[in-house]
Amino acid sequence: MGLHISKDKLDILVERSGALFIYAATIVKYLTSGGQRASSRLEKVLDVKGSPDKIQTQMLDELYTQILSDSLDSLSPEEKDQSIKVIHTSVMTGRPVSCQIIADLLGYELQDVKATISELQSVLYTDGPEEAIYTFHASFAD
């Protein structure tokens, strides 16, 4: 059973995506990784108020903010702080770094770093035997 999106809602998403494929791709990853929460995630994305004068990159920034909020708001204060540090360190290294290196740098358990990346799989992913952390698009670092 998949997520059903009405034509009206799909038209809104297409309009917001404009020429930015990464916006559409990020929404798809965000919704499909939501499992039972996919419908509520769709409504949250649609609730982001866009205006005609808003440039598309601002809409992408708002989508990233929504994804981060969803991921972090359900965590305890300690987990939230830890996840923010994992995200920050992963992005600020300027190149893909393994989950193990991030764990070592921050003094965290490897499983906690992997949990953060897993919770943010619509914007971050790991690849290769060393599980290097990548962003799906360079704009996420902005």
Side-chain angles (χ1 to χ4, degrees):
M1 177 156 95
L3 174 67
H4 174 74
I5 301 176
S6 71
K7 181 173 177 356
D8 291 344
K9 290 178 181 180
L10 187 59
D11 287 344
I12 292 169
L13 295 175
V14 168
E15 181 181 329
R16 288 184 182 176
S17 296
L20 292 178
F21 177 77
I22 189 60
Y23 185 89
T26 302
I27 286 176
V28 169
K29 285 184 220 119
Y30 179 57
L31 296 178
T32 58
S33 69
Q36 298 294 324
R37 295 186 177 109
S39 292
S40 64
R41 285 183 173 191
L42 174 62
E43 294 307 316
K44 287 178 185 177
V45 168
L46 292 170
D47 282 346
V48 172
K49 301 298 179 215
S51 62
D53 61 339
K54 207 171 245 196
I55 60 171
Q56 289 175 343
T57 54
Q58 288 175 314
M59 294 297 293
L60 186 58
D61 290 345
E62 290 177 13
L63 177 60
Y64 288 152
T65 299
Q66 182 62 53
I67 292 168
L68 289 170
S69 292
D70 275 359
S71 174
L72 298 173
D73 287 350
S74 62
L75 301 176
S76 71
E78 181 182 317
E79 292 169 332
K80 186 176 188 176
D81 182 59
Q82 190 177 59
S83 290
I84 290 170
K85 288 177 181 174
V86 167
I87 296 163
H88 181 262
T89 304
S90 299
V91 169
M92 296 310 293
T93 57
R95 65 180 187 90
V97 177
S98 73
C99 290
Q100 186 63 60
I101 289 174
I102 298 295
D104 292 345
L105 283 171
L106 297 173
Y108 296 156
E109 295 294 323
L110 178 59
Q111 67 197 29
D112 294 329
V113 173
K114 288 182 177 184
T116 296
I117 304 309
S118 176
E119 291 162 357
L120 291 166
Q121 63 183 314
S122 52
V123 291
L124 298 173
Y125 70 100
T126 60
D127 191 39
E130 292 185 6
E131 295 182 294
I133 303 168
Y134 294 84
T135 60
F136 277 106
H137 196 264
S139 63
F140 181 71
D142 296 341

